[in-house]
Amino acid sequence: LSDNQSLVQIGGGFAFLVYIIIILFGSYFSSDSKLNRKINREVQLHERKLKAEQIKQQIQLDEEIRQIKKGEQIDELQKNKNEEFQKISDLMDQLRQSPRNQRWKKEVREKCGSRCQIDTFHGGREVEVHHLVSLYKIIMQNNITSMEDALKCRALWDFDNGVGLCKECHDKMESSKSRQAMMSEIKK
């Protein structure tokens, strides 16, 4: 081939390439194509917003379900707690009525000389026996679940855990916000 023919072929190939580029990019820049791309972008944006809204709704639904389950769990825990408290309360009533507790109270009264250990002014009145460490606390600390367990528990029947108080001082001790201050007044 001559040099001129080669240039024509190359030139023709280049012209064809330019022609293809113009066709492709010309359609890209045409107003119809711009409109289609804008519509496609809007559709994609709308689809993303819908997807985001669906995700948001699913998160809210999951949270509502979690709250419902949490509420059910709390209800179940409260029910179990109430049942457990009732069992302990019943056990405490049995303990208070037991002959072993009556003997313990009698021995604590004798130990304190049947006198109030806080207020000697109220001497001569009926002395009530107060647990320094509460029955409830002893039951919980020692995992007592039955009268049999209670009768075996030394902490329940420890004389040093009992003190004689007049009714006025005992009532104050049971309901007082200054219980610690009253505890320090007990004569040992």
Side-chain angles (χ1 to χ4, degrees):
L1 291 175
S2 71
D3 287 338
N4 287 339
Q5 286 178 335
S6 304
L7 287 173
V8 170
Q9 285 178 348
I10 292 172
F14 181 73
F16 179 73
L17 183 62
V18 170
Y19 175 74
I20 296 295
I21 291 172
I22 290 172
I23 289 174
L24 289 175
F25 284 106
S27 66
Y28 181 81
F29 292 107
S30 73
S31 62
D32 287 345
S33 185
K34 287 180 186 178
L35 180 61
N36 284 339
R37 283 193 308 278
K38 184 177 180 181
I39 290 171
N40 285 339
R41 279 193 305 269
E42 291 292 327
V43 168
Q44 289 173 350
L45 180 62
H46 182 69
E47 287 173 348
R48 277 189 241 134
K49 285 181 180 178
L50 282 176
K51 184 70 173 171
E53 185 62 33
Q54 288 173 341
I55 291 170
K56 184 179 174 183
Q57 288 175 350
Q58 186 62 46
I59 290 170
Q60 288 174 340
L61 182 60
D62 290 347
E63 178 62 21
E64 288 176 17
I65 290 170
R66 192 177 68 72
Q67 290 296 328
I68 289 169
K69 286 181 178 178
K70 184 179 178 182
E72 289 171 355
Q73 289 172 345
I74 290 171
D75 290 346
E76 187 64 27
L77 287 173
Q78 188 65 38
K79 179 183 169 193
N80 291 343
K81 187 176 178 181
N82 289 343
E83 289 172 0
E84 188 65 28
F85 180 79
Q86 188 59 50
K87 288 177 187 175
I88 292 170
S89 181
D90 291 346
L91 180 60
M92 288 171 57
D93 288 344
Q94 287 178 337
L95 281 169
R96 287 186 182 107
Q97 302 302 318
S98 73
R100 178 68 183 98
N101 190 54
Q102 299 308 315
R103 281 194 312 273
W104 178 80
K105 285 182 174 184
K106 180 181 177 188
E107 291 175 5
V108 170
R109 281 188 191 101
E110 289 172 2
K111 176 186 86 167
C112 69
S114 293
R115 298 189 63 83
C116 178
Q117 298 300 291
I118 293 178
D119 187 357
T120 54
F121 177 74
H122 293 121
R125 293 187 182 174
E126 180 70 23
V127 175
E128 298 178 1
V129 177
H130 175 73
H131 286 87
L132 297 173
V133 177
S134 73
L135 277 177
Y136 179 81
K137 191 177 250 185
I138 294 171
I139 288 170
M140 296 307 289
Q141 288 174 344
N142 294 280
N143 297 317
I144 297 171
T145 59
S146 67
M147 278 300 290
E148 184 179 340
D149 293 341
L151 293 172
K152 293 177 185 175
C153 179
R154 292 179 185 247
L156 275 174
W157 315 115
D158 180 5
F159 299 118
D160 291 331
N161 186 41
V163 65
L165 301 173
C166 66
K167 178 158 179 43
E168 289 86 359
C169 290
H170 195 202
D171 289 346
K172 287 178 190 174
M173 182 69 79
E174 293 293 333
S175 63
S176 177
K177 293 179 182 174
S178 59
R179 180 183 177 118
Q180 291 300 321
M182 290 186 75
M183 295 288 279
S184 66
E185 293 181 32
I186 294 176
K187 301 169 188 77
K188 296 226 175 188

